[in-house]
Amino acid sequence: EAGVVQSPRYKIIEKKQPVAFWCNPISGHNTLYWYLQNLGQGPELLIRYENEEAVDDSQLPKDRFSAERLKGVDSTLKIQPAELGDSAVYLCASSLNSGAYNEQFFGPGTRLTVL
Amino acid sequence: AQSVTQLDSQVPVFEEAPVELRCNYSSSVSVYLFWYVQYPNQGLQLLLKYLSGSTLVESINGFEAEFNKSQTSFHLRKPSVHISDTAEYFCAVYGRDDKIIFGKGTRLHILP
C-alpha cells in the first residue's frame, strides 16, 4: 500500500515568489493534515480537512497561505508571496478519520528554502 | 491547554547501551500520548502510543514507554540501542480540539 505522497521534495525560491505543495493521501483516508516543521521544532498543525471541508484552519496565516482539497482526495498548499521566514519543512499527513484512535500517517515532507 | 516538554534536545549514547528519552506533558483532559520517530530524510512514523489500559506500551523494535500520571511523564526507553536507532524522536499529546501537540524533539546519536 502506497503511503502519503508529497511533491516536490525540495523547493528553492526567492522571496515574494509564489510556491505550491501537493499531497496525495493514503487511499480511503478521509482526514488530511498540513503541518509546518521549523528547524529544531516539532510539527505544528496548519490546517485539517475532513473530506473536502477545512474543519480547523485556525493556525493558517490566511494573508499569504491558502489550501484546498478538491473532491476530498489530493490537496494543495500555496504560499503567495513567500517570505524568508517561511523556510521550513511542510508535512502532509492523513488518517482514516480524525480522533486519537486513528493513526496519522506522514509523508516525507517538502523542504522549502526562501532566499 | 495541552503541552509537551522534551527535556533533552540531543542524547548521545554508545551502541548497545540503554537509553531514556524524557517527556513530560500537561493536559487537563483525557490523556492520549504518542512517540513518533523521524529517520533522516523521512516522514514521521508512529513508534508507540498510550490510549488506555496498561500504562506500559511497547513498540515492535524494542522501545517501550510508561505512562506515569502522578509524574505527568511518558519517557521512552530501550535497553540496548543499535546504530539503526539514529533518528529524531518526538513526544506528542492529543489535544481537546482534535490536534496532536508535538514536543520539540530529541535527536538520538548512537556512538560506535
Side-chain angles (χ1 to χ4, degrees):
Chain A
E1 178 181 307
V4 176
V5 179
Q6 290 188 248
S7 69
R9 290 293 312 275
Y10 304 91
K11 188 73 175 180
I12 301 174
I13 61 171
E14 293 188 348
K15 63 180 180 181
K16 301 185 181 179
Q17 294 300 305
V19 65
F21 314 125
W22 176 80
C23 174
N24 179 239
I26 292 173
S27 177
H29 280 194
N30 298 313
T31 308
L32 184 145
Y33 313 78
W34 282 103
Y35 288 90
L36 167 67
Q37 186 176 16
N38 285 305
L39 188 64
Q41 303 291 321
E44 299 174 25
L45 183 70
L46 288 172
I47 189 168
R48 173 168 63 97
Y49 281 93
E50 298 288 352
N51 298 302
E52 65 274 9
E53 181 183 0
V55 297
D56 184 356
D57 63 356
S58 58
Q59 301 302 310
L60 190 72
K62 298 180 183 64
D63 57 336
R64 297 184 300 108
F65 286 66
S66 64
E68 60 182 9
R69 190 185 184 196
L70 300 176
K71 300 181 181 179
V73 181
D74 294 1
S75 178
T76 303
L77 178 68
K78 298 178 182 177
I79 308 175
Q80 183 171 8
E83 298 179 352
L84 295 176
D86 296 330
S87 294
V89 176
Y90 293 82
L91 297 169
C92 180
S94 70
S95 60
L96 195 58
N97 292 296
S98 59
Y101 284 77
N102 289 287
E103 180 179 347
Q104 293 187 25
F105 294 85
F106 285 79
T110 297
R111 183 177 297 275
L112 174 66
T113 301
V114 182
L115 303 176
Chain B
Q2 289 81 14
S3 67
V4 172
T5 302
Q6 291 186 246
L7 298 168
D8 305 297
S9 59
Q10 297 189 61
V11 172
V13 62
F14 286 103
E15 196 169 12
E16 299 185 6
V19 69
E20 178 179 83
L21 306 184
R22 296 180 291 170
C23 172
N24 289 91
Y25 68 91
S26 170
S27 178
S28 58
V29 296
S30 298
V31 179
Y32 304 117
L33 295 162
F34 309 85
W35 277 99
Y36 282 81
V37 58
Q38 188 173 31
Y39 298 105
N41 297 316
Q42 296 186 28
L44 277 77
Q45 303 173 33
L46 181 64
L47 187 61
L48 47 75
K49 61 188 176 185
Y50 170 77
L51 300 176
S52 65
S54 173
T55 57
L56 183 66
V57 291
E58 299 176 351
S59 72
I60 59 174
N61 58 350
F63 283 92
E64 65 177 30
E66 185 162 18
F67 168 54
N68 188 318
K69 188 175 182 178
S70 63
Q71 297 186 5
T72 61
S73 68
F74 191 55
H75 300 332
L76 182 69
R77 302 182 182 95
K78 188 171 185 179
S80 176
V81 296
H82 301 281
I83 195 73
S84 59
D85 294 322
T86 298
E88 189 152 20
Y89 293 79
F90 293 92
C91 183
V93 63
Y94 202 83
R96 66 167 72 231
D97 47 1
D98 277 340
K99 281 180 187 169
I100 293 182
I101 309 299
F102 289 89
K104 292 185 177 182
T106 298
R107 193 171 296 275
L108 179 60
H109 292 283
I110 309 299
L111 306 172

